Amino acid sequence: MKWLEDRTGISALFDKMMDEPVKGGAKWSYVFGSALVFVFIMQVVSGVILATGYSASATDAWGSVYYIQHKTFSGWFVRGMHNIGSSAMIVLAVLHMGQTLIYGAYRRPRELNWITGVIMLFFVLGFGLTGYLLPWDQKGYWATQVATSIMGLSPGIGGFLKGLVQGGNDYGNLTLTRFYSFHVFFLPAGLIAFMAAHIYLFRRHGVTPHWKPGEQELKKKTQPFWPDQLFKDVVVAIAVFVSMIIVVWYRGGAELQSPADPSSNFLARPEWYFLFLFQLLKYFEGEMEVVGAIFLPSIFAALIIALPFIDKAKSRYPLKRLPVMGCFGAGLAGVIFLTVMSAISDSGDERILKQREESEKMALIAVELAEHGIPPQGGTSVFQNDPLYSGEQLLRQHCLGCHNFEGSGGNTAPDLTAYNTKPWLVGFFSDPNAPKYYGNTKIDVMPEYDLEEEELSDLVDFLLAQADKSKEIDPELKESGEMLLEENGCYNCHTYDGMGGETAPVLDNFASDEWLRGIIEDPGQKKYFGQLNAMPAFKDKLSKQEIDNIVFFLQNKRKKTN
């Protein structure tokens, strides 16, 4: 130690820091700045750890965050701490500013302390904004689009700023790399520089004591930083750390939504600390949007920075600075009010609630699919390679113009909800020309059958037994089914086992993958609906794989229902 001391003088520096006089003695009200520094250090440490597994690429970002979250040791915890740390910094910064305001610590000669502190708050907000996009999931992707759109409203330079941040006209790889570089290089460098200046100015002028005690009393109570004030700082830092751990543990880490999908219509919402601005924008529409997005926040920020020069009160006593304290209280109340209003508005919006439910569901599916590997094409490809998801999306995209499915879509073709399940077929045979079946098509010529319940059940079971070609049909069921086909005149129109008419769909392999695929590919074939068909052929509109995915999805639904 003596060797190190001789060369660095570190002990003297340490003693100087610990002996720093705290005017008026140690106070709990002085702890917020130290707590902020502590959380910032945690953010740096956790950020460096996360950076070892993160890939700032539009194709790899979501997958790398998934890997950190689910495949690395305690990755979920580190990411959760980093995520909650951003909120903790906002809360502590506001508390620190509040304490500074109440104590009048922004007044001469501490004007620069205040200004550097406000600039640091802007840096902290910048961390939140840039970090939000990095997972490249739905929430971050669309919320950041809103933020850059607001930036684009800046008079004169909006388009330039937006293009600079985005790296082009659209979101993509350059957007992500630029946000990443801001998040891990420019913003930390700026924050550290201003933090150094802020601490230097703080040490130069010392703490601003309570306004009541006189100089003699303050001098009498003055203590060194060590041990009392350091003890209080450490206690609060531990309390903040434990609180963050509890929140992270309760939430199971940080949220990771499904991969960003630029083709979706996601209703974006920012993080909680930007909700007040989001709500404010709702009151300024059209050409007035720039007022809520740029002018009012800029005026508010300028007034905060200029506060030391606006406040002309002769005393630090809060009651003698009522205009300043009142404006601060009103501003804080306004921010809280707008934030609450935004939350209330969303809680009553069925579109938002439905989207949240759907987002949670999609996030779980994405994680499950990612367990089998993430294709090189990127996060969203986990869905494209899943026939169940892809089949549903293709069905909704290409079929619901005419068909209905689970309450959505048209009504000019049979309802595909539980299509070809036993309940669906029982209902069909009871009333084949009902609107749910073929009543709204040209194929409304099939007669109703007044079968006994047991006979109807046997007929449906016989038909559905055709679906699985790998299983041999029970001889008794086959005999019963063929007899019912003959007794009820089904052979007049349908073909089965080489016998019967050709004016209705063939019943061999009924409801099988092959049968369903054939109808989707070309329903106008003679063995399906022939001249009565009005459904378009999809063999030239969709790939074989896409048709197979629709078949897989419908068959999966059928098997689950049966």
Side-chain angles (χ1 to χ4, degrees):
M1 286 299 295
K2 187 176 184 306
W3 183 89
L4 187 63
E5 172 61 21
D6 290 343
R7 285 152 183 80
T8 63
I10 192 168
S11 295
L13 178 62
F14 182 77
D15 290 343
K16 187 177 181 181
M17 291 173 64
M18 292 297 105
D19 292 339
E20 182 75 20
V22 179
K23 198 173 182 180
K27 295 283 187 298
W28 287 106
S29 53
Y30 299 155
V31 299
F32 300 118
S34 300
L36 258 175
V37 174
F38 169 73
V39 176
F40 175 67
I41 292 171
M42 282 210 308
Q43 291 297 88
V44 172
V45 173
S46 57
V48 169
I49 295 172
L50 291 175
T52 60
Y54 179 72
S55 176
S57 152
T59 53
D60 299 336
W62 188 88
S64 64
V65 175
Y66 159 81
Y67 182 78
I68 292 169
Q69 181 97 356
H70 296 280
K71 296 297 179 183
T72 58
F73 176 71
S74 298
W76 68 273
F77 178 75
V78 175
R79 182 166 175 260
M81 290 296 282
H82 195 73
N83 177 268
I84 198 66
S86 63
S87 294
M89 287 194 74
I90 300 289
V91 172
L92 289 169
V94 171
L95 290 173
H96 186 48
M97 286 184 69
Q99 185 269 331
T100 305
L101 270 167
I102 293 171
Y103 275 60
Y106 55 87
R107 293 157 62 90
R108 185 183 179 186
R110 297 180 176 84
E111 297 95 329
L112 290 178
N113 292 55
W114 173 259
I115 292 172
T116 53
V118 174
I119 293 174
M120 287 166 61
L121 175 63
F122 295 153
F123 275 107
V124 171
L125 292 173
F127 276 113
L129 178 65
T130 53
Y132 213 44
L133 180 68
L134 300 189
W136 204 248
D137 61 0
Q138 283 285 71
K139 191 175 180 180
Y141 179 89
W142 290 103
T144 314
Q145 290 250 9
V146 174
T148 52
S149 297
I150 292 174
M151 191 180 295
L153 294 173
S154 303
I157 58 171
F160 169 75
L161 285 177
K162 186 178 177 183
L164 180 68
V165 172
Q166 285 188 179
N169 295 325
D170 297 314
Y171 267 44
N173 225 32
L174 279 178
T175 313
L176 190 56
T177 53
R178 290 192 182 192
F179 271 68
Y180 182 66
S181 63
F182 275 111
H183 193 74
V184 303
F185 295 117
F186 296 112
L187 289 176
L191 183 60
I192 290 171
F194 277 92
M195 185 181 290
H198 191 72
I199 293 174
Y200 164 75
L201 292 168
F202 169 74
R203 304 292 291 197
R204 175 179 172 81
H205 301 299
V207 299
T208 303
H210 198 276
W211 53 88
K212 280 186 177 177
E215 281 296 321
Q216 289 296 325
E217 186 179 353
L218 289 173
K219 192 173 181 180
K220 184 178 178 183
K221 291 183 177 179
T222 295
Q223 298 173 311
F225 181 72
W226 162 266
D228 290 357
Q229 189 59 51
L230 181 60
F231 172 76
K232 288 180 168 57
D233 287 352
V234 170
V235 168
V236 172
I238 292 173
V240 170
F241 184 63
V242 172
S243 301
M244 290 170 61
I245 290 176
I246 292 172
V247 173
V248 170
W249 198 272
Y250 176 75
R251 295 169 56 188
E255 180 184 32
L256 177 61
Q257 292 209 334
S258 57
D261 181 3
S263 65
S264 63
N265 295 314
F266 195 87
L267 297 173
R269 291 293 182 272
E271 271 286 22
W272 67 267
Y273 39 81
F274 288 124
L275 277 179
F276 73 97
L277 188 57
F278 177 77
Q279 182 68 18
L280 181 65
L281 287 177
K282 294 180 181 178
Y283 305 120
F284 298 91
E285 297 180 345
E287 295 180 352
M288 295 298 293
E289 195 175 15
V290 68
V291 175
I294 303 296
F295 291 156
L296 289 181
S298 298
I299 292 171
F300 187 65
L303 288 175
I304 292 178
I305 291 175
L307 177 63
F309 310 103
I310 296 173
D311 182 8
K312 300 297 183 183
K314 295 181 179 178
S315 171
R316 289 194 295 113
Y317 202 89
L319 291 179
K320 294 183 178 179
R321 292 184 288 121
L322 281 180
V324 170
M325 301 305 295
C327 289
F328 171 72
L332 185 61
V335 169
I336 294 173
F337 173 76
L338 289 171
T339 303
V340 173
M341 285 295 293
S342 179
I344 291 175
S345 174
D346 283 355
S347 66
D349 190 328
E350 290 188 3
R351 293 180 307 160
I352 295 293
L353 296 177
K354 186 176 180 182
Q355 177 177 278
R356 284 178 181 165
E357 185 180 342
E358 183 68 16
S359 296
E360 291 176 4
K361 175 185 166 187
M362 295 307 297
L364 290 174
I365 293 174
V367 169
E368 287 177 5
L369 294 174
E371 287 288 324
H372 305 293
I374 301 173
Q377 294 85 350
T380 52
S381 59
V382 297
F383 291 120
Q384 304 307 322
N385 287 350
D386 175 45
L388 204 58
Y389 174 81
S390 173
E392 181 175 0
Q393 299 305 308
L394 289 165
L395 180 87
R396 293 185 181 280
Q397 184 179 354
H398 295 282
C399 307
L400 298 199
C402 302
H403 295 276
N404 195 287
F405 178 72
E406 296 183 347
S408 300
N411 60 359
T412 58
D415 193 328
L416 296 181
T417 307
Y419 180 60
N420 276 348
T421 60
K422 187 169 184 177
W424 192 95
L425 287 169
V426 168
F428 167 70
F429 280 115
S430 301
D431 188 3
N433 300 318
K436 179 181 178 181
Y437 300 107
Y438 290 90
N440 292 333
T441 72
K442 294 180 182 177
I443 317 170
D444 55 349
V445 293
M446 181 167 166
E448 297 178 13
Y449 290 94
D450 188 20
L451 295 169
E452 296 292 332
E453 184 176 342
E454 186 177 352
E455 291 178 329
L456 181 57
S457 178
D458 287 346
L459 178 59
V460 170
D461 286 343
F462 166 70
L463 290 173
L464 288 177
Q466 314 292 317
D468 191 350
K469 294 171 63 176
S470 64
K471 292 183 180 177
E472 190 173 340
I473 303 174
D474 179 73
E476 190 175 334
L477 179 63
K478 188 172 188 293
E479 182 181 354
S480 168
E482 290 176 344
M483 186 181 299
L484 286 167
L485 289 180
E486 186 171 359
E487 289 176 354
N488 291 281
C490 300
Y491 286 117
N492 294 335
C493 302
H494 297 276
T495 298
Y496 178 72
D497 200 16
M499 297 189 297
E502 296 180 340
T503 57
V506 64
L507 298 180
D508 294 283
N509 302 323
F510 176 79
S512 66
D513 291 359
E514 177 187 348
W515 187 89
L516 190 54
R517 186 184 300 110
I519 286 186
I520 296 173
E521 286 178 341
D522 188 1
Q525 291 182 75
K526 194 174 180 180
K527 66 178 181 178
Y528 296 120
F529 298 111
Q531 295 180 350
L532 294 176
N533 174 62
M535 174 176 160
F538 283 90
K539 61 182 179 183
D540 296 326
K541 296 182 179 181
L542 298 175
S543 68
K544 181 178 181 304
Q545 183 62 55
E546 289 174 325
I547 291 176
D548 283 347
N549 288 350
I550 295 177
V551 171
F552 183 85
F553 173 72
L554 287 173
Q555 295 289 65
N556 183 271
K557 285 281 184 182
R558 180 180 66 81
K559 291 170 184 173
K560 281 186 176 178
T561 304
N562 283 333

